[in-house]
Amino acid sequence: MNPTDTVHQSAPESAPRIVLIVDDEEPLLRLMVRLLERAGYQVWAAKDGTEARALFREHAAEIDLALIDVMHPPGAGAEDLLPELLEQKPGLNVILTSGDVLSPSLEEILNRIGGGFLRKPFASKALLRILDEMGGNQVSGSNATGRAAGRRVV
């Protein structure tokens, strides 16, 4: 993400309002937090899977969307974390980020849930755009997400 790529806009009314960000690259994590807060989102930030699990256990009912770096410690990163989060909250909106291609298992999960994927490095505008696109996918609390199958790639 380019730090000079500033965007000052409010999160649309239909957009997820509370986002959990998981990324072990602390400068990027801080930058994403700042960007999303400026855009009107409330943000919970975790630098690893352990922090993410603790935050999610405490705030799962409030979190509308998880933005997860595919590779983060401990363990296998999103391969471990994502199924756990979806088990706790099946209608959770998810965007994965990575500089690499997704594994077949993560690809299948994103296709099934209608999640998104951002390839690193990405521009601030791309992150806000995918959040906006997923805005119509508010978590309803039921297992039926109402989302179209397939993933969004930016």
mmCIF file of all heavy atoms in Angstrom, residues 25-77:
data_model
loop_
_atom_site.group_PDB
_atom_site.id
_atom_site.type_symbol
_atom_site.label_atom_id
_atom_site.label_comp_id
_atom_site.label_asym_id
_atom_site.label_seq_id
_atom_site.Cartn_x
_atom_site.Cartn_y
_atom_site.Cartn_z
ATOM 1 N N GLU A 25 3.166 -7.682 9.402
ATOM 2 C CA GLU A 25 4.004 -6.560 8.980
ATOM 3 C C GLU A 25 3.484 -5.309 9.690
ATOM 4 O O GLU A 25 2.556 -4.668 9.213
ATOM 5 C CB GLU A 25 3.948 -6.380 7.470
ATOM 6 C CG GLU A 25 4.520 -7.556 6.688
ATOM 7 C CD GLU A 25 4.373 -7.355 5.197
ATOM 8 O OE1 GLU A 25 4.787 -6.273 4.700
ATOM 9 O OE2 GLU A 25 3.846 -8.254 4.537
ATOM 10 N N GLU A 26 4.092 -4.975 10.829
ATOM 11 C CA GLU A 26 3.551 -3.914 11.674
ATOM 12 C C GLU A 26 3.429 -2.552 10.991
ATOM 13 O O GLU A 26 2.420 -1.877 11.193
ATOM 14 C CB GLU A 26 4.311 -3.837 12.992
ATOM 15 C CG GLU A 26 4.010 -5.083 13.829
ATOM 16 C CD GLU A 26 4.342 -4.921 15.293
ATOM 17 O OE1 GLU A 26 4.068 -3.843 15.853
ATOM 18 O OE2 GLU A 26 4.864 -5.885 15.852
ATOM 19 N N PRO A 27 4.394 -2.111 10.147
ATOM 20 C CA PRO A 27 4.180 -0.827 9.466
ATOM 21 C C PRO A 27 2.945 -0.858 8.553
ATOM 22 O O PRO A 27 2.175 0.099 8.514
ATOM 23 C CB PRO A 27 5.462 -0.633 8.648
ATOM 24 C CG PRO A 27 6.493 -1.451 9.363
ATOM 25 C CD PRO A 27 5.742 -2.635 9.906
ATOM 26 N N LEU A 28 2.742 -1.953 7.852
ATOM 27 C CA LEU A 28 1.564 -2.083 6.992
ATOM 28 C C LEU A 28 0.293 -2.158 7.831
ATOM 29 O O LEU A 28 -0.723 -1.552 7.486
ATOM 30 C CB LEU A 28 1.681 -3.321 6.098
ATOM 31 C CG LEU A 28 0.517 -3.583 5.148
ATOM 32 C CD1 LEU A 28 0.269 -2.399 4.218
ATOM 33 C CD2 LEU A 28 0.767 -4.848 4.343
ATOM 34 N N LEU A 29 0.341 -2.875 8.938
ATOM 35 C CA LEU A 29 -0.810 -2.966 9.836
ATOM 36 C C LEU A 29 -1.207 -1.577 10.328
ATOM 37 O O LEU A 29 -2.386 -1.201 10.262
ATOM 38 C CB LEU A 29 -0.478 -3.893 11.005
ATOM 39 C CG LEU A 29 -1.562 -4.114 12.051
ATOM 40 C CD1 LEU A 29 -2.783 -4.780 11.444
ATOM 41 C CD2 LEU A 29 -1.016 -4.954 13.205
ATOM 42 N N ARG A 30 -0.236 -0.799 10.795
ATOM 43 C CA ARG A 30 -0.532 0.558 11.277
ATOM 44 C C ARG A 30 -1.105 1.424 10.153
ATOM 45 O O ARG A 30 -2.041 2.197 10.365
ATOM 46 C CB ARG A 30 0.723 1.207 11.842
ATOM 47 C CG ARG A 30 1.120 0.684 13.203
ATOM 48 C CD ARG A 30 2.186 1.545 13.863
ATOM 49 N NE ARG A 30 3.379 1.734 13.048
ATOM 50 C CZ ARG A 30 4.442 0.930 13.056
ATOM 51 N NH1 ARG A 30 4.462 -0.119 13.846
ATOM 52 N NH2 ARG A 30 5.481 1.177 12.281
ATOM 53 N N LEU A 31 -0.561 1.284 8.946
ATOM 54 C CA LEU A 31 -1.040 2.064 7.808
ATOM 55 C C LEU A 31 -2.487 1.702 7.458
ATOM 56 O O LEU A 31 -3.318 2.588 7.219
ATOM 57 C CB LEU A 31 -0.122 1.833 6.605
ATOM 58 C CG LEU A 31 -0.342 2.697 5.378
ATOM 59 C CD1 LEU A 31 -0.141 4.170 5.708
ATOM 60 C CD2 LEU A 31 0.618 2.275 4.275
ATOM 61 N N MET A 32 -2.800 0.409 7.453
ATOM 62 C CA MET A 32 -4.172 -0.015 7.146
ATOM 63 C C MET A 32 -5.142 0.457 8.228
ATOM 64 O O MET A 32 -6.257 0.895 7.919
ATOM 65 C CB MET A 32 -4.250 -1.528 6.977
ATOM 66 C CG MET A 32 -3.624 -2.023 5.685
ATOM 67 S SD MET A 32 -3.938 -3.768 5.336
ATOM 68 C CE MET A 32 -2.962 -4.586 6.604
ATOM 69 N N VAL A 33 -4.727 0.373 9.484
ATOM 70 C CA VAL A 33 -5.584 0.852 10.579
ATOM 71 C C VAL A 33 -5.886 2.332 10.383
ATOM 72 O O VAL A 33 -7.036 2.765 10.439
ATOM 73 C CB VAL A 33 -4.934 0.593 11.958
ATOM 74 C CG1 VAL A 33 -5.662 1.353 13.053
ATOM 75 C CG2 VAL A 33 -4.912 -0.896 12.264
ATOM 76 N N ARG A 34 -4.850 3.122 10.144
ATOM 77 C CA ARG A 34 -5.028 4.561 9.960
ATOM 78 C C ARG A 34 -5.939 4.865 8.769
ATOM 79 O O ARG A 34 -6.846 5.692 8.849
ATOM 80 C CB ARG A 34 -3.656 5.225 9.798
ATOM 81 C CG ARG A 34 -3.672 6.715 9.919
ATOM 82 C CD ARG A 34 -2.290 7.341 10.047
ATOM 83 N NE ARG A 34 -1.294 6.844 9.098
ATOM 84 C CZ ARG A 34 -0.236 6.118 9.435
ATOM 85 N NH1 ARG A 34 -0.023 5.779 10.675
ATOM 86 N NH2 ARG A 34 0.628 5.721 8.520
ATOM 87 N N LEU A 35 -5.719 4.184 7.656
ATOM 88 C CA LEU A 35 -6.535 4.404 6.462
ATOM 89 C C LEU A 35 -8.008 4.092 6.729
ATOM 90 O O LEU A 35 -8.889 4.881 6.413
ATOM 91 C CB LEU A 35 -6.027 3.528 5.307
ATOM 92 C CG LEU A 35 -6.905 3.515 4.051
ATOM 93 C CD1 LEU A 35 -6.853 4.853 3.344
ATOM 94 C CD2 LEU A 35 -6.485 2.388 3.130
ATOM 95 N N LEU A 36 -8.270 2.939 7.322
ATOM 96 C CA LEU A 36 -9.651 2.544 7.558
ATOM 97 C C LEU A 36 -10.333 3.437 8.591
ATOM 98 O O LEU A 36 -11.506 3.777 8.433
ATOM 99 C CB LEU A 36 -9.745 1.067 7.965
ATOM 100 C CG LEU A 36 -9.935 0.100 6.800
ATOM 101 C CD1 LEU A 36 -8.829 0.175 5.777
ATOM 102 C CD2 LEU A 36 -10.100 -1.311 7.305
ATOM 103 N N GLU A 37 -9.606 3.826 9.617
ATOM 104 C CA GLU A 37 -10.198 4.731 10.608
ATOM 105 C C GLU A 37 -10.545 6.076 9.976
ATOM 106 O O GLU A 37 -11.608 6.627 10.239
ATOM 107 C CB GLU A 37 -9.260 4.916 11.804
ATOM 108 C CG GLU A 37 -9.241 3.692 12.703
ATOM 109 C CD GLU A 37 -8.257 3.800 13.861
ATOM 110 O OE1 GLU A 37 -7.345 4.662 13.808
ATOM 111 O OE2 GLU A 37 -8.390 3.000 14.811
ATOM 112 N N ARG A 38 -9.662 6.583 9.122
ATOM 113 C CA ARG A 38 -9.947 7.841 8.425
ATOM 114 C C ARG A 38 -11.154 7.712 7.503
ATOM 115 O O ARG A 38 -11.847 8.690 7.240
ATOM 116 C CB ARG A 38 -8.741 8.299 7.610
ATOM 117 C CG ARG A 38 -7.645 8.869 8.444
ATOM 118 C CD ARG A 38 -6.519 9.352 7.572
ATOM 119 N NE ARG A 38 -5.414 9.829 8.380
ATOM 120 C CZ ARG A 38 -4.190 9.970 7.941
ATOM 121 N NH1 ARG A 38 -3.892 9.694 6.680
ATOM 122 N NH2 ARG A 38 -3.245 10.401 8.743
ATOM 123 N N ALA A 39 -11.372 6.508 6.997
ATOM 124 C CA ALA A 39 -12.508 6.271 6.096
ATOM 125 C C ALA A 39 -13.791 5.981 6.872
ATOM 126 O O ALA A 39 -14.825 5.719 6.267
ATOM 127 C CB ALA A 39 -12.189 5.115 5.154
ATOM 128 N N GLY A 40 -13.728 5.983 8.191
ATOM 129 C CA GLY A 40 -14.943 5.832 8.987
ATOM 130 C C GLY A 40 -15.178 4.452 9.567
ATOM 131 O O GLY A 40 -16.219 4.203 10.174
ATOM 132 N N TYR A 41 -14.242 3.542 9.401
ATOM 133 C CA TYR A 41 -14.371 2.201 9.965
ATOM 134 C C TYR A 41 -13.834 2.171 11.391
ATOM 135 O O TYR A 41 -12.930 2.931 11.736
ATOM 136 C CB TYR A 41 -13.590 1.179 9.126
ATOM 137 C CG TYR A 41 -14.159 0.967 7.753
ATOM 138 C CD1 TYR A 41 -13.714 1.725 6.680
ATOM 139 C CD2 TYR A 41 -15.133 0.008 7.531
ATOM 140 C CE1 TYR A 41 -14.238 1.536 5.414
ATOM 141 C CE2 TYR A 41 -15.655 -0.190 6.271
ATOM 142 C CZ TYR A 41 -15.210 0.587 5.216
ATOM 143 O OH TYR A 41 -15.728 0.401 3.965
ATOM 144 N N GLN A 42 -14.385 1.279 12.187
ATOM 145 C CA GLN A 42 -13.785 0.952 13.479
ATOM 146 C C GLN A 42 -12.913 -0.267 13.237
ATOM 147 O O GLN A 42 -13.305 -1.168 12.510
ATOM 148 C CB GLN A 42 -14.864 0.626 14.504
ATOM 149 C CG GLN A 42 -15.750 1.815 14.842
ATOM 150 C CD GLN A 42 -16.838 1.412 15.808
ATOM 151 O OE1 GLN A 42 -16.646 0.585 16.684
ATOM 152 N NE2 GLN A 42 -18.003 2.011 15.634
ATOM 153 N N VAL A 43 -11.734 -0.294 13.855
ATOM 154 C CA VAL A 43 -10.752 -1.323 13.519
ATOM 155 C C VAL A 43 -10.201 -1.980 14.776
ATOM 156 O O VAL A 43 -9.850 -1.305 15.741
ATOM 157 C CB VAL A 43 -9.579 -0.715 12.712
ATOM 158 C CG1 VAL A 43 -8.548 -1.776 12.369
ATOM 159 C CG2 VAL A 43 -10.089 -0.039 11.445
ATOM 160 N N TRP A 44 -10.138 -3.300 14.740
ATOM 161 C CA TRP A 44 -9.391 -4.101 15.705
ATOM 162 C C TRP A 44 -8.183 -4.624 14.944
ATOM 163 O O TRP A 44 -8.332 -5.156 13.842
ATOM 164 C CB TRP A 44 -10.209 -5.283 16.225
ATOM 165 C CG TRP A 44 -11.363 -4.877 17.085
ATOM 166 C CD1 TRP A 44 -12.677 -4.866 16.743
ATOM 167 C CD2 TRP A 44 -11.296 -4.414 18.438
ATOM 168 N NE1 TRP A 44 -13.437 -4.435 17.791
ATOM 169 C CE2 TRP A 44 -12.612 -4.147 18.856
ATOM 170 C CE3 TRP A 44 -10.251 -4.200 19.335
ATOM 171 C CZ2 TRP A 44 -12.906 -3.683 20.133
ATOM 172 C CZ3 TRP A 44 -10.548 -3.729 20.601
ATOM 173 C CH2 TRP A 44 -11.864 -3.484 20.980
ATOM 174 N N ALA A 45 -6.976 -4.479 15.509
ATOM 175 C CA ALA A 45 -5.756 -4.891 14.817
ATOM 176 C C ALA A 45 -5.017 -5.964 15.604
ATOM 177 O O ALA A 45 -4.901 -5.868 16.825
ATOM 178 C CB ALA A 45 -4.841 -3.688 14.614
ATOM 179 N N ALA A 46 -4.535 -6.984 14.882
ATOM 180 C CA ALA A 46 -3.763 -8.077 15.487
ATOM 181 C C ALA A 46 -2.534 -8.331 14.632
ATOM 182 O O ALA A 46 -2.621 -8.366 13.405
ATOM 183 C CB ALA A 46 -4.619 -9.329 15.574
ATOM 184 N N LYS A 47 -1.402 -8.543 15.295
ATOM 185 C CA LYS A 47 -0.161 -8.790 14.549
ATOM 186 C C LYS A 47 0.089 -10.267 14.313
ATOM 187 O O LYS A 47 1.027 -10.625 13.605
ATOM 188 C CB LYS A 47 1.028 -8.146 15.252
ATOM 189 C CG LYS A 47 1.418 -8.758 16.562
ATOM 190 C CD LYS A 47 2.628 -8.029 17.146
ATOM 191 C CE LYS A 47 3.119 -8.621 18.428
ATOM 192 N NZ LYS A 47 2.179 -8.673 19.515
ATOM 193 N N ASP A 48 -0.755 -11.128 14.887
ATOM 194 C CA ASP A 48 -0.591 -12.566 14.666
ATOM 195 C C ASP A 48 -1.903 -13.291 14.961
ATOM 196 O O ASP A 48 -2.875 -12.692 15.413
ATOM 197 C CB ASP A 48 0.555 -13.133 15.506
ATOM 198 C CG ASP A 48 0.379 -12.931 17.004
ATOM 199 O OD1 ASP A 48 -0.764 -13.031 17.499
ATOM 200 O OD2 ASP A 48 1.391 -12.696 17.687
ATOM 201 N N GLY A 49 -1.884 -14.587 14.697
ATOM 202 C CA GLY A 49 -3.085 -15.387 14.890
ATOM 203 C C GLY A 49 -3.537 -15.471 16.334
ATOM 204 O O GLY A 49 -4.740 -15.519 16.616
ATOM 205 N N THR A 50 -2.603 -15.473 17.268
ATOM 206 C CA THR A 50 -2.949 -15.542 18.685
ATOM 207 C C THR A 50 -3.738 -14.307 19.105
ATOM 208 O O THR A 50 -4.792 -14.412 19.742
ATOM 209 C CB THR A 50 -1.673 -15.697 19.546
ATOM 210 O OG1 THR A 50 -0.984 -16.875 19.115
ATOM 211 C CG2 THR A 50 -2.010 -15.803 21.011
ATOM 212 N N GLU A 51 -3.239 -13.120 18.732
ATOM 213 C CA GLU A 51 -3.962 -11.882 19.033
ATOM 214 C C GLU A 51 -5.312 -11.850 18.333
ATOM 215 O O GLU A 51 -6.315 -11.420 18.913
ATOM 216 C CB GLU A 51 -3.151 -10.659 18.606
ATOM 217 C CG GLU A 51 -2.049 -10.277 19.541
ATOM 218 C CD GLU A 51 -1.378 -8.969 19.124
ATOM 219 O OE1 GLU A 51 -1.885 -8.246 18.214
ATOM 220 O OE2 GLU A 51 -0.334 -8.662 19.710
ATOM 221 N N ALA A 52 -5.354 -12.294 17.085
ATOM 222 C CA ALA A 52 -6.595 -12.288 16.315
ATOM 223 C C ALA A 52 -7.650 -13.173 16.979
ATOM 224 O O ALA A 52 -8.820 -12.787 17.090
ATOM 225 C CB ALA A 52 -6.341 -12.752 14.887
ATOM 226 N N ARG A 53 -7.245 -14.356 17.424
ATOM 227 C CA ARG A 53 -8.188 -15.264 18.085
ATOM 228 C C ARG A 53 -8.752 -14.642 19.359
ATOM 229 O O ARG A 53 -9.949 -14.727 19.619
ATOM 230 C CB ARG A 53 -7.507 -16.594 18.396
ATOM 231 C CG ARG A 53 -7.284 -17.464 17.193
ATOM 232 C CD ARG A 53 -6.476 -18.726 17.549
ATOM 233 N NE ARG A 53 -6.243 -19.542 16.385
ATOM 234 C CZ ARG A 53 -5.206 -19.403 15.559
ATOM 235 N NH1 ARG A 53 -4.285 -18.479 15.785
ATOM 236 N NH2 ARG A 53 -5.074 -20.189 14.511
ATOM 237 N N ALA A 54 -7.887 -14.009 20.148
ATOM 238 C CA ALA A 54 -8.326 -13.386 21.391
ATOM 239 C C ALA A 54 -9.306 -12.239 21.114
ATOM 240 O O ALA A 54 -10.351 -12.135 21.757
ATOM 241 C CB ALA A 54 -7.123 -12.889 22.187
ATOM 242 N N LEU A 55 -8.967 -11.382 20.161
ATOM 243 C CA LEU A 55 -9.861 -10.280 19.806
ATOM 244 C C LEU A 55 -11.189 -10.792 19.270
ATOM 245 O O LEU A 55 -12.258 -10.267 19.606
ATOM 246 C CB LEU A 55 -9.202 -9.366 18.759
ATOM 247 C CG LEU A 55 -8.149 -8.407 19.270
ATOM 248 C CD1 LEU A 55 -7.401 -7.766 18.102
ATOM 249 C CD2 LEU A 55 -8.791 -7.330 20.137
ATOM 250 N N PHE A 56 -11.136 -11.832 18.436
ATOM 251 C CA PHE A 56 -12.357 -12.348 17.832
ATOM 252 C C PHE A 56 -13.248 -13.001 18.885
ATOM 253 O O PHE A 56 -14.465 -12.841 18.855
ATOM 254 C CB PHE A 56 -12.035 -13.325 16.697
ATOM 255 C CG PHE A 56 -13.183 -13.499 15.751
ATOM 256 C CD1 PHE A 56 -13.472 -12.534 14.799
ATOM 257 C CD2 PHE A 56 -13.994 -14.620 15.820
ATOM 258 C CE1 PHE A 56 -14.538 -12.672 13.926
ATOM 259 C CE2 PHE A 56 -15.057 -14.773 14.947
ATOM 260 C CZ PHE A 56 -15.334 -13.794 14.004
ATOM 261 N N ARG A 57 -12.645 -13.736 19.809
ATOM 262 C CA ARG A 57 -13.446 -14.341 20.890
ATOM 263 C C ARG A 57 -14.202 -13.273 21.667
ATOM 264 O O ARG A 57 -15.360 -13.447 22.007
ATOM 265 C CB ARG A 57 -12.543 -15.128 21.849
ATOM 266 C CG ARG A 57 -12.416 -16.584 21.542
ATOM 267 C CD ARG A 57 -11.773 -17.364 22.677
ATOM 268 N NE ARG A 57 -10.494 -16.817 23.133
ATOM 269 C CZ ARG A 57 -9.318 -17.079 22.572
ATOM 270 N NH1 ARG A 57 -9.246 -17.884 21.522
ATOM 271 N NH2 ARG A 57 -8.216 -16.553 23.054
ATOM 272 N N GLU A 58 -13.530 -12.164 21.925
ATOM 273 C CA GLU A 58 -14.125 -11.104 22.723
ATOM 274 C C GLU A 58 -15.111 -10.242 21.941
ATOM 275 O O GLU A 58 -16.078 -9.743 22.499
ATOM 276 C CB GLU A 58 -13.016 -10.222 23.297
ATOM 277 C CG GLU A 58 -13.502 -9.211 24.302
ATOM 278 C CD GLU A 58 -12.364 -8.477 24.978
ATOM 279 O OE1 GLU A 58 -11.222 -8.967 24.965
ATOM 280 O OE2 GLU A 58 -12.636 -7.395 25.525
ATOM 281 N N HIS A 59 -14.878 -10.065 20.643
ATOM 282 C CA HIS A 59 -15.651 -9.092 19.866
ATOM 283 C C HIS A 59 -16.331 -9.670 18.624
ATOM 284 O O HIS A 59 -16.733 -8.903 17.743
ATOM 285 C CB HIS A 59 -14.737 -7.938 19.436
ATOM 286 C CG HIS A 59 -14.083 -7.237 20.574
ATOM 287 N ND1 HIS A 59 -14.755 -6.359 21.384
ATOM 288 C CD2 HIS A 59 -12.812 -7.320 21.056
ATOM 289 C CE1 HIS A 59 -13.925 -5.909 22.319
ATOM 290 N NE2 HIS A 59 -12.740 -6.480 22.140
ATOM 291 N N ALA A 60 -16.483 -10.962 18.539
ATOM 292 C CA ALA A 60 -17.041 -11.585 17.326
ATOM 293 C C ALA A 60 -18.388 -11.003 16.929
ATOM 294 O O ALA A 60 -18.656 -10.795 15.744
ATOM 295 C CB ALA A 60 -17.154 -13.096 17.511
ATOM 296 N N ALA A 61 -19.236 -10.724 17.891
ATOM 297 C CA ALA A 61 -20.565 -10.203 17.571
ATOM 298 C C ALA A 61 -20.495 -8.840 16.891
ATOM 299 O O ALA A 61 -21.387 -8.492 16.111
ATOM 300 C CB ALA A 61 -21.414 -10.112 18.838
ATOM 301 N N GLU A 62 -19.445 -8.076 17.153
ATOM 302 C CA GLU A 62 -19.315 -6.725 16.611
ATOM 303 C C GLU A 62 -18.597 -6.697 15.263
ATOM 304 O O GLU A 62 -18.791 -5.777 14.479
ATOM 305 C CB GLU A 62 -18.503 -5.851 17.578
ATOM 306 C CG GLU A 62 -19.013 -5.834 18.983
ATOM 307 C CD GLU A 62 -17.919 -5.435 19.975
ATOM 308 O OE1 GLU A 62 -16.981 -4.714 19.593
ATOM 309 O OE2 GLU A 62 -18.013 -5.871 21.123
ATOM 310 N N ILE A 63 -17.729 -7.664 15.022
ATOM 311 C CA ILE A 63 -16.862 -7.627 13.837
ATOM 312 C C ILE A 63 -17.648 -8.018 12.593
ATOM 313 O O ILE A 63 -18.257 -9.078 12.535
ATOM 314 C CB ILE A 63 -15.630 -8.540 14.034
ATOM 315 C CG1 ILE A 63 -14.764 -7.985 15.171
ATOM 316 C CG2 ILE A 63 -14.828 -8.657 12.745
ATOM 317 C CD1 ILE A 63 -13.639 -8.894 15.605
ATOM 318 N N ASP A 64 -17.620 -7.130 11.601
ATOM 319 C CA ASP A 64 -18.341 -7.345 10.343
ATOM 320 C C ASP A 64 -17.471 -7.985 9.270
ATOM 321 O O ASP A 64 -17.981 -8.648 8.377
ATOM 322 C CB ASP A 64 -18.849 -6.004 9.791
ATOM 323 C CG ASP A 64 -19.826 -5.332 10.722
ATOM 324 O OD1 ASP A 64 -20.806 -5.969 11.120
ATOM 325 O OD2 ASP A 64 -19.584 -4.154 11.065
ATOM 326 N N LEU A 65 -16.156 -7.731 9.342
ATOM 327 C CA LEU A 65 -15.269 -8.172 8.280
ATOM 328 C C LEU A 65 -13.884 -8.464 8.848
ATOM 329 O O LEU A 65 -13.420 -7.750 9.730
ATOM 330 C CB LEU A 65 -15.150 -7.082 7.206
ATOM 331 C CG LEU A 65 -14.349 -7.450 5.969
ATOM 332 C CD1 LEU A 65 -15.043 -6.952 4.714
ATOM 333 C CD2 LEU A 65 -12.935 -6.908 6.035
ATOM 334 N N ALA A 66 -13.258 -9.520 8.339
ATOM 335 C CA ALA A 66 -11.873 -9.837 8.701
ATOM 336 C C ALA A 66 -10.991 -9.647 7.480
ATOM 337 O O ALA A 66 -11.278 -10.187 6.410
ATOM 338 C CB ALA A 66 -11.766 -11.265 9.225
ATOM 339 N N LEU A 67 -9.931 -8.874 7.639
ATOM 340 C CA LEU A 67 -8.934 -8.614 6.601
ATOM 341 C C LEU A 67 -7.661 -9.313 7.070
ATOM 342 O O LEU A 67 -7.012 -8.859 8.007
ATOM 343 C CB LEU A 67 -8.721 -7.102 6.456
ATOM 344 C CG LEU A 67 -7.678 -6.613 5.473
ATOM 345 C CD1 LEU A 67 -8.042 -6.995 4.046
ATOM 346 C CD2 LEU A 67 -7.529 -5.105 5.588
ATOM 347 N N ILE A 68 -7.332 -10.455 6.446
ATOM 348 C CA ILE A 68 -6.305 -11.345 6.974
ATOM 349 C C ILE A 68 -5.175 -11.542 5.972
ATOM 350 O O ILE A 68 -5.405 -11.966 4.835
ATOM 351 C CB ILE A 68 -6.916 -12.725 7.308
ATOM 352 C CG1 ILE A 68 -8.092 -12.572 8.271
ATOM 353 C CG2 ILE A 68 -5.855 -13.666 7.878
ATOM 354 C CD1 ILE A 68 -8.911 -13.863 8.452
ATOM 355 N N ASP A 69 -3.950 -11.279 6.433
ATOM 356 C CA ASP A 69 -2.763 -11.612 5.658
ATOM 357 C C ASP A 69 -2.637 -13.136 5.663
ATOM 358 O O ASP A 69 -2.764 -13.770 6.713
ATOM 359 C CB ASP A 69 -1.536 -10.967 6.290
ATOM 360 C CG ASP A 69 -0.250 -11.273 5.555
ATOM 361 O OD1 ASP A 69 -0.285 -11.449 4.322
ATOM 362 O OD2 ASP A 69 0.797 -11.347 6.223
ATOM 363 N N VAL A 70 -2.421 -13.727 4.509
ATOM 364 C CA VAL A 70 -2.373 -15.187 4.398
ATOM 365 C C VAL A 70 -1.252 -15.775 5.249
ATOM 366 O O VAL A 70 -1.450 -16.775 5.941
ATOM 367 C CB VAL A 70 -2.239 -15.618 2.921
ATOM 368 C CG1 VAL A 70 -1.947 -17.098 2.806
ATOM 369 C CG2 VAL A 70 -3.519 -15.270 2.163
ATOM 370 N N MET A 71 -0.083 -15.168 5.234
ATOM 371 C CA MET A 71 1.050 -15.697 5.992
ATOM 372 C C MET A 71 1.302 -14.838 7.221
ATOM 373 O O MET A 71 1.715 -13.687 7.102
ATOM 374 C CB MET A 71 2.311 -15.717 5.120
ATOM 375 C CG MET A 71 2.197 -16.632 3.916
ATOM 376 S SD MET A 71 1.798 -18.344 4.319
ATOM 377 C CE MET A 71 3.264 -18.843 5.171
ATOM 378 N N HIS A 72 0.988 -15.387 8.383
ATOM 379 C CA HIS A 72 1.310 -14.723 9.645
ATOM 380 C C HIS A 72 1.504 -15.802 10.704
ATOM 381 O O HIS A 72 0.876 -16.850 10.651
ATOM 382 C CB HIS A 72 0.208 -13.736 10.055
ATOM 383 C CG HIS A 72 -1.119 -14.392 10.293
ATOM 384 N ND1 HIS A 72 -2.060 -14.519 9.305
ATOM 385 C CD2 HIS A 72 -1.636 -14.998 11.384
ATOM 386 C CE1 HIS A 72 -3.110 -15.172 9.798
ATOM 387 N NE2 HIS A 72 -2.879 -15.473 11.048
ATOM 388 N N PRO A 73 2.379 -15.546 11.644
ATOM 389 C CA PRO A 73 2.609 -16.541 12.692
ATOM 390 C C PRO A 73 1.485 -16.492 13.722
ATOM 391 O O PRO A 73 0.733 -15.530 13.739
ATOM 392 C CB PRO A 73 3.933 -16.094 13.312
ATOM 393 C CG PRO A 73 4.048 -14.642 12.998
ATOM 394 C CD PRO A 73 3.265 -14.407 11.739
ATOM 395 N N PRO A 74 1.333 -17.408 14.596
ATOM 396 C CA PRO A 74 1.959 -18.732 14.585
ATOM 397 C C PRO A 74 1.197 -19.673 13.667
ATOM 398 O O PRO A 74 0.084 -19.383 13.263
ATOM 399 C CB PRO A 74 1.854 -19.181 16.042
ATOM 400 C CG PRO A 74 0.605 -18.530 16.539
ATOM 401 C CD PRO A 74 0.513 -17.205 15.791
ATOM 402 N N GLY A 75 1.775 -20.796 13.375
ATOM 403 C CA GLY A 75 1.098 -21.801 12.561
ATOM 404 C C GLY A 75 1.088 -21.446 11.092
ATOM 405 O O GLY A 75 1.965 -20.761 10.587
ATOM 406 N N ALA A 76 0.063 -21.889 10.410
ATOM 407 C CA ALA A 76 -0.035 -21.740 8.965
ATOM 408 C C ALA A 76 -0.795 -20.487 8.553
ATOM 409 O O ALA A 76 -1.283 -20.391 7.439
ATOM 410 C CB ALA A 76 -0.697 -22.972 8.367
ATOM 411 N N GLY A 77 -0.912 -19.523 9.446
ATOM 412 C CA GLY A 77 -1.565 -18.267 9.095
ATOM 413 C C GLY A 77 -3.048 -18.446 8.818
ATOM 414 O O GLY A 77 -3.768 -19.051 9.602
#
